[in-house]
Amino acid sequence: MATESAPSEASSGVPLAPQKKFWKNERWLLSLYFIVGLVWCLQTVLKHVFFSKTLYDCTFFTFQDSFFGLIHHQPLYPGPANNVFKYSPTFALLFAPFAVPPAGVGMFLWVAVNFTAFFSAIWFLPFRRLDRILMLWVSLFDLMTAIQDWQSNG
């Protein structure tokens, strides 16, 4: 008579690790952040590229204009009332990888870099794993709001 192994053992007889709750699982959370981030970045870019009546109401175009103003030796301060650049010329220069590509590509890269920086800043904090996971869950909605409004919370 063959004995069947318990559901907690693999076919090799080695006990399986207990399943983590979904909200404690790092892979699940990382996958969720990646999927939500990608979808949110795409919808934010598409909304501003195709449906926005005034494209210059977001900070991305303020930063883009500052880069082109800098390389064309135009004054950076002050700009039009809705387009005031308040950062150093170094920032305008460092914004080049986002300003040079077409607007949709640059916008997507800008949002993706901000999203990645936010996630990484929390993930690499010297806290317990569970504390970092809880911080990521709590901050997910705020991150989505910041991305949708073209904010950089880095």
Side-chain angles (χ1 to χ4, degrees), residues 12 104 118 128:
S12 65
F118 184 87
R128 293 180 317 163

Side-chain angles (χ1 to χ4, degrees), residues 60 75 88 91 94 132 138:
F60 175 83
S88 73
F91 178 80
L94 292 174
R132 290 190 314 260
V138 168

